[in-house]
Amino acid sequence: AAAIAMGFAVRSGVLAGVDVEVFRALALTKTASSQGLITAATMFTWIADGELRSILLALSVIWLLWKKERQLALVMMVVPVLAGVTSDVLKILFARPRPDLVPHLDGVSSMSFPSGHATNATALFLTMAFLLPVGSAKARLALAIGFAGASSLSRVMLGVHWPTDVVAGAMLGLAFALAAKAVAAPVLRA
C-alpha cells in the first residue's frame, strides 16, 4: 500500500524536488565519476538482473526440494515471481518516464516506477534469508539487506531510476518477502 501511495504522490509531483536533488547527488556520469565506482554500480545492478535472479531462485527451490521442504520450495518459487509481476503491472499503471538528467549508464526497456531491480532484489534476497536456514539468521538477513540495498542504490547511481522508484520498489519487495515469511511461519516453526 505504501508503494502504491508513493506512486500517486510521485504522479502528483509532490516529491519531484526531492527526487531531483537526491538523483543529482547520486547519479554517476562517464566524464565526472570514477570508472571503479561505475563498475561497482554496474556489478550490483547485474546481481539483481533477471538471469542471475532466476538462477538463484532455481537453486534455492532445488535446495529446498532436496531438503524435502516442499512447502518452503513452493513459497520460494511463487513469491519472488509475484513481486516481479506486480512491479511490472505498476510500471504500466503509473507509466513514469525514466530520468533524463544524465545519460543512462545501463540499458532500460520499461517505465520507471517502481524499480523492478529494487522490487525483485529485495523480494528474492529477503525471501531467501527467511526461508533458507543456512548459517546464522542475522548473517543471512544482513547479507540480504546489503545485496538488495546495493542493487537498489545502483539504479539511481547509473541514472536509470529516480530515488522514489527505488524506495517504492524496495517497499514492494519487502512486503512480498514478509508475506513469504508469514506464509512459511508454520513450517519454519515445526
Side-chain angles (χ1 to χ4, degrees):
I4 293 170
M6 184 174 276
F8 286 113
V10 162
R11 182 177 265 179
S12 73
V14 171
L15 301 171
V18 172
D19 254 348
V20 169
E21 290 303 314
V22 174
F23 180 87
R24 287 182 190 221
L26 295 175
L28 305 173
T29 63
K30 285 187 178 184
T31 56
S33 304
S34 80
Q35 186 56 47
L37 196 52
I38 292 171
T39 300
T42 302
M43 181 192 73
F44 280 110
T45 277
W46 173 77
I47 288 170
D49 276 347
E51 297 82 17
L52 185 57
R53 277 194 338 266
S54 297
I55 292 168
L56 291 172
L57 180 60
L59 290 174
S60 298
V61 170
I62 290 167
W63 189 82
L64 286 166
L65 289 172
W66 180 66
K67 290 290 196 177
K68 300 193 183 336
E69 295 287 356
R70 288 187 178 95
Q71 291 172 323
L72 294 180
L74 180 61
V75 173
M76 185 76 236
M77 185 170 50
V78 170
V79 170
V81 173
L82 285 177
V85 170
T86 302
S87 175
D88 290 345
V89 168
L90 291 176
K91 281 179 181 286
I92 293 166
L93 291 175
F94 286 106
R96 185 183 200 188
R98 299 279 179 159
D100 61 359
L101 302 178
V102 298
H104 296 167
L105 297 177
D106 190 35
V108 293
S109 62
S110 63
M111 300 307 285
S112 193
F113 185 92
S115 166
H117 276 77
T119 302
N120 291 315
T122 304
L124 176 63
F125 293 132
L126 286 177
T127 301
M128 288 172 66
F130 294 147
L131 302 187
L132 302 177
V134 177
S136 147
K138 287 181 182 179
R140 289 192 317 266
L141 191 56
L143 282 171
I145 291 169
F147 278 120
S151 296
S152 299
L153 179 62
S154 74
R155 304 306 287 159
V156 178
M157 293 173 70
L158 295 174
V160 296
H161 273 292
W162 296 104
T164 51
D165 300 340
V166 169
V167 170
M171 288 190 300
L172 188 60
L174 174 62
F176 275 94
L178 290 173
K181 183 179 180 185
V183 168
V187 177
L188 292 171
R189 285 190 205 118

